[in-house]
Amino acid sequence: MSATKTTAAAIGVHGLHKRFGGLVALDGIELEARAAEVLGIIGVNGAGKTTLMNCICGIYRADRGSVSIGGRDMTGLTPHEIAHAGVGRTFQIPRVFRKMSLIDNLLVPVLDRNQTDRALIERAEAMLEQMRLIELRHNFAEELSGGQQKLLEMARMLMPEPKVVMLDEPFAGVHPTLCRFMIEQIEAIAAGGKTVLLISHDLTSIYRLSHRVAALNQGRVIAEGSVDEIRGNPAVVEAYLGA
Amino acid sequence: MSLKTNAAAPRASERESARRIYFTLAAIIGGVVSVYFVLVPVLKLNLAFHFYLMLWITMASAFNVASGFSGYMPFGYVAFYGVGAFTTAILVQKLHFPVLAALPFSGIAGVTLGLMFAPTLRLSGIYFAIVSLALAGICRLVITNLPEEVTGGSFGLHLGSRAEPVLSFYVMMCVMLLALGTILWLSRSRLGKALRAVRDDAEAADMMGVNVVRVRLYGWLIAAFFPALCGGVEAWYTNVVDTETAFNTLTTAKTVIYAVAGGLGTVTGPIVGAFTMVWLDELIWREFPRINMLILGIATVLLVLFLPRGLIGTLLRRRPQWRRYIP
């Protein structure tokens, strides 16, 4: 994907520290994602990728440092306040509302919207159709396969039309055919002008989708730049291969 | 991204049709049940049995808001019932309130107690259940140790000549219909959806923009209001209140069993569960008075073993397409 011309930082992470007891999960992370940019985050297991995402979402409170979305400081806000600021996300292991129908799952992020139920349901149905889940709309989410749950999460994330979306391992454990479909969806999201933070171990997909990539290791950003720069970066190669 | 589809119109028509069937069914069932209960005193059917049937339907349905909708298991649920019973009794006996004027205060007392217990909502699972049980014990101890001239001590309070079985029966019916109406509304409301999302995954719901603390509190207060009202009406119906019966743990146990038997998380489940189990209880009591509790216990164990989702829960799992019509 070619680099886009952007100006304002859609996501700003400055000096972010997070410890879990004696374990340093994030060690002064500095990162910026520009508006309408796809920023890929790579790193080995335990590098701090998901912790970073959880700190941005407000699930974890950082020990030090700040997070801003669209220039607005989000530090100390609750997850639902951050969601209202226009941040949506998916999870490594899908966290759908298991005993709710697919339609109801999609309505959850827009419950406070000043729109009629009918309008919201129609939008939810259209989203499900786009994700090829429309026939299952009355089923409970727990009745879906793992891959379908990932698609449902993606649709749920998009329902409130967030400005920033964060995808945590969207391709993990997904069938190749479904994986291709998800890549198309992410490309469509990016084409729609949203800022995307994409965490994945699937480097091929990351390199295909990202405008820029940041590599994390032991809670630090060890490299940041274009796909080509990251691909040939010796620090990244060493972190991945232990060479 | 364009989201317009050609299939939108047929789906809208299908939704409208499902909505019509849903409300028609609700109106027919609600109407038939109301007429039946209205006729109980007129036809001189067993008043006590039907009074308690309505009481258990209300209790199980309200418990469903705390458990089925919100995901809590309040083992001390009887606290609301007991406090409601004593509120009506004290207001009527000591402050000479008319009974009908005292009853709303029972509901208010339940909500107030719910607010006092609200900090425990940050707990979950077995921790919440145990703390809830302990708080109910504390409520019972506090009321037992209040001056005898207020709560009647170990003898309890007698409401004197205010017993009006038929009127209290109809008031219980109104409380039941109010509870069922509220829960029916809740099941289709945005608050109900938020509650269910929080029940399924509070952290994910939070990240989807749901104010978890506020939503849980609203659900909890609804769940606290109706048992307190039930306690007040039952105090009026039986004309006597004492801590032993008002805070009896068996009240919570029966409420849980009836709600689970029908299916937590559905509107109709606790109604069907209470209806089935109260009838079964009555039948067993009539036929096997000496071992009725044993047989009822075995029946409950079998039900939970073979239908862990309850009668309605199992039905809706096997027939997902019926979920649109059966709340």
Side-chain angles (χ1 to χ4, degrees):
Chain A
M1 196 176 269
S2 63
T4 46
K5 286 176 187 170
T6 53
T7 49
I11 307 172
V13 177
H14 303 290
L16 211 63
H17 286 78
K18 179 70 189 170
R19 293 175 73 101
F20 297 103
L23 177 78
V24 179
L26 299 180
D27 192 8
I29 297 273
E30 290 283 343
L31 208 59
E32 279 196 352
R34 283 159 253 165
E37 178 181 53
V38 179
L39 176 64
I41 307 276
I42 59 171
V44 294
N45 288 333
K49 306 181 296 293
T50 301
T51 305
L52 170 65
M53 201 174 261
N54 285 338
C55 284
I56 296 171
C57 285
I59 284 295
Y60 293 158
R61 192 156 289 202
D63 302 326
R64 265 185 291 149
S66 66
V67 173
S68 63
I69 301 291
R72 188 181 152 204
D73 188 17
M74 296 284 128
T75 317
L77 294 188
T78 59
H80 68 266
E81 287 169 331
I82 293 172
H84 287 305
V87 178
R89 76 168 285 184
T90 63
F91 302 88
Q92 188 169 356
I93 298 164
R95 291 174 70 172
V96 293
F97 303 121
R98 300 180 62 79
K99 287 189 169 49
M100 293 175 75
S101 71
L102 270 56
I103 290 277
D104 283 351
N105 260 270
L106 262 60
L107 293 180
V108 171
V110 290
L111 290 173
D112 61 338
R113 292 290 161 96
N114 193 19
Q115 283 175 278
T116 61
D117 287 354
R118 186 180 176 161
L120 294 174
I121 289 170
E122 279 173 3
R123 177 165 165 74
E125 284 178 344
M127 295 291 303
L128 288 176
E129 188 150 42
Q130 186 188 322
M131 295 293 170
R132 302 175 185 168
L133 294 171
I134 190 68
E135 297 303 324
L136 301 165
R137 63 192 180 281
H138 299 301
N139 282 64
F140 281 170
E142 66 181 357
E143 292 157 1
L144 300 184
S145 70
Q148 287 172 324
Q149 289 190 11
K150 291 226 169 209
L151 290 175
L152 177 64
E153 264 200 334
M154 199 177 278
R156 185 181 67 181
M157 174 191 74
L158 294 172
M159 263 303 276
E161 299 182 272
K163 289 178 283 191
V164 170
V165 301
M166 301 197 285
L167 305 164
D168 193 355
E169 298 285 2
F171 316 114
V174 174
H175 185 272
T177 312
L178 189 56
C179 194
R180 279 195 293 278
F181 179 67
M182 290 183 87
I183 288 172
E184 285 167 20
Q185 296 304 312
I186 296 168
E187 282 172 340
I189 292 168
K194 297 184 196 308
T195 303
V196 180
L197 198 67
L198 175 64
I199 290 179
S200 181
H201 277 113
D202 181 357
L203 295 182
T204 312
S205 306
I206 280 265
Y207 290 156
R208 173 176 167 181
L209 288 164
S210 305
H211 296 125
R212 284 191 308 128
V213 177
L216 263 59
N217 192 29
Q218 296 182 338
R220 293 196 193 112
V221 178
I222 55 167
E224 190 182 349
S226 69
V227 168
D228 289 336
E229 285 165 353
I230 291 295
R231 226 195 288 256
N233 188 301
V236 176
V237 174
E238 187 186 329
Y240 262 88
L241 300 177
Chain B
M1 262 177 272
S2 172
L3 295 174
K4 285 189 178 173
T5 64
N6 296 330
R11 280 200 300 267
S13 136
E14 180 203 294
R15 260 199 323 273
E16 189 51 41
S17 152
R19 191 173 165 276
R20 216 175 12 248
I21 294 171
Y22 174 92
F23 281 110
T24 308
L25 272 176
I28 290 171
I29 294 168
V32 169
V33 169
S34 301
V35 168
Y36 174 74
F37 280 113
V38 163
L39 290 176
V40 166
V42 179
L43 300 174
K44 303 213 182 307
L45 299 175
N46 187 338
L47 198 68
F49 170 77
H50 288 93
F51 176 89
Y52 283 102
L53 177 60
M54 292 190 295
L55 184 139
W56 289 120
I57 287 174
T58 310
M59 291 287 288
S61 297
F63 179 83
N64 188 33
V65 177
S67 189
F69 281 68
S70 310
Y72 289 107
M73 191 50 79
F75 281 169
Y77 200 54
V78 70
F80 300 119
Y81 177 87
V83 164
F86 268 95
T87 303
T88 289
I90 291 169
L91 289 176
V92 170
Q93 176 66 11
K94 302 296 176 186
L95 301 174
H96 309 293
F97 271 53
V99 179
L100 288 174
L103 284 174
F105 286 96
S106 284
I108 293 169
V111 170
T112 308
L113 191 67
L115 280 172
M116 288 165 67
F117 287 2
T120 64
L121 295 176
R122 72 183 64 177
L123 301 172
S124 61
I126 193 68
Y127 304 103
F128 177 84
I130 291 168
V131 168
S132 152
L133 187 63
L135 287 173
I138 290 169
C139 285
R140 178 183 173 163
L141 277 175
V142 167
I143 290 182
T144 307
N145 288 295
L146 281 174
E148 204 169 313
E149 52 273 19
V150 179
T151 58
S154 55
F155 294 107
L157 286 170
H158 293 258
L159 273 71
S161 58
R162 290 185 181 83
E164 289 183 76
V166 174
L167 185 57
S168 52
F169 176 90
Y170 283 125
V171 170
M172 187 67 240
M173 192 183 91
C174 292
V175 170
M176 178 186 74
L177 292 176
L178 180 66
L180 296 184
T182 304
I183 291 155
L184 201 61
W185 162 79
L186 187 67
S187 74
R188 293 180 73 88
S189 71
R190 295 186 180 194
L191 173 62
K193 288 183 179 64
L195 267 174
R196 280 196 273 234
V198 170
R199 171 203 64 192
D200 283 359
D201 190 333
E203 205 172 72
D206 201 0
M207 281 185 273
M208 297 303 128
V210 175
N211 187 334
V212 174
V213 175
R214 190 162 60 195
V215 161
R216 275 179 169 161
L217 182 65
Y218 289 162
W220 180 241
L221 296 183
I222 292 171
F225 179 72
F226 288 106
L229 269 185
C230 285
V233 181
E234 207 254 0
W236 182 25
Y237 182 78
T238 57
N239 219 28
V240 62
V241 181
D242 66 274
T243 49
E244 194 63 39
T245 46
F247 289 95
N248 193 335
T249 315
L250 197 60
T251 304
T252 303
K254 281 188 170 183
T255 305
V256 174
I257 290 168
Y258 296 167
V260 170
L264 287 170
T266 61
V267 177
T268 41
I271 303 170
V272 172
F275 194 81
T276 310
M277 295 303 280
V278 171
W279 272 99
L280 194 65
D281 189 14
E282 175 74 8
L283 192 73
I284 294 169
W285 174 253
R286 215 183 299 156
E287 299 298 324
F288 311 98
R290 290 182 180 209
I291 52 167
N292 76 308
M293 288 301 274
L294 176 70
I295 296 176
L296 192 64
I298 292 170
T300 306
V301 169
L302 290 176
L303 194 71
V304 172
L305 272 178
F306 293 106
L307 297 173
R309 289 168 187 265
L311 297 164
I312 297 295
T314 306
L315 179 74
L316 294 182
R317 184 162 177 79
R318 291 187 184 163
R319 297 271 184 278
Q321 68 275 25
W322 289 5
R323 287 176 193 151
R324 278 176 289 167
Y325 313 116
I326 302 174

